[in-house]
Coordinates of all heavy atoms in Angstrom, one line a residue:
Q55 N 74.5 67.9 -69.7 CA 75.0 68.7 -70.8 C 76.2 69.5 -70.3 O 76.5 70.6 -70.8 CB 73.9 69.7 -71.3 CG 72.7 68.9 -71.9 CD 73.1 68.3 -73.2 OE1 73.8 68.8 -74.0 NE2 72.5 67.1 -73.5
H322 N 81.0 62.8 -77.8 CA 81.1 63.4 -76.5 C 80.2 62.7 -75.5 O 79.3 61.9 -75.9 CB 81.0 64.9 -76.5 CG 79.6 65.4 -77.0 ND1 79.0 64.9 -78.1 CD2 78.8 66.4 -76.5 CE1 77.8 65.6 -78.3 NE2 77.7 66.5 -77.3
H324 N 77.7 63.9 -73.6 CA 76.4 64.4 -73.4 C 75.3 63.3 -73.5 O 75.3 62.5 -74.4 CB 76.0 65.6 -74.3 CG 76.7 66.9 -74.0 ND1 76.8 68.0 -74.8 CD2 77.5 67.2 -72.8 CE1 77.5 68.9 -74.2 NE2 77.9 68.5 -73.0
D326 N 72.2 62.8 -74.3 CA 71.4 62.5 -75.4 C 72.2 61.8 -76.5 O 71.7 61.1 -77.3 CB 70.7 63.8 -76.0 CG 71.7 64.9 -76.4 OD1 72.7 65.1 -75.7 OD2 71.4 65.6 -77.4
H327 N 73.6 62.1 -76.5 CA 74.4 61.4 -77.5 C 75.0 60.1 -77.1 O 75.4 59.3 -77.9 CB 75.5 62.4 -77.9 CG 75.0 63.5 -78.7 ND1 75.0 63.5 -80.1 CD2 74.5 64.7 -78.4 CE1 74.4 64.6 -80.6 NE2 74.1 65.4 -79.5
H401 N 81.2 74.0 -76.6 CA 80.1 73.1 -76.4 C 80.5 72.0 -75.5 O 79.8 71.5 -74.6 CB 79.5 72.5 -77.7 CG 78.4 71.6 -77.5 ND1 77.1 72.0 -77.2 CD2 78.3 70.2 -77.5 CE1 76.4 70.9 -77.0 NE2 77.1 69.8 -77.2
D420 N 76.7 68.5 -82.7 CA 76.4 69.7 -81.9 C 77.3 71.0 -82.2 O 76.9 72.1 -81.7 CB 76.5 69.4 -80.4 CG 75.4 68.5 -79.9 OD1 74.5 68.2 -80.7 OD2 75.5 68.0 -78.8
Ligands
ZN501 ZN1 76.3 68.0 -76.8

Side-chain angles (χ1 to χ4, degrees):
Q55 297 291 324
H322 60 314
H324 284 171
D326 58 323
H327 288 268
H401 181 76
D420 292 354

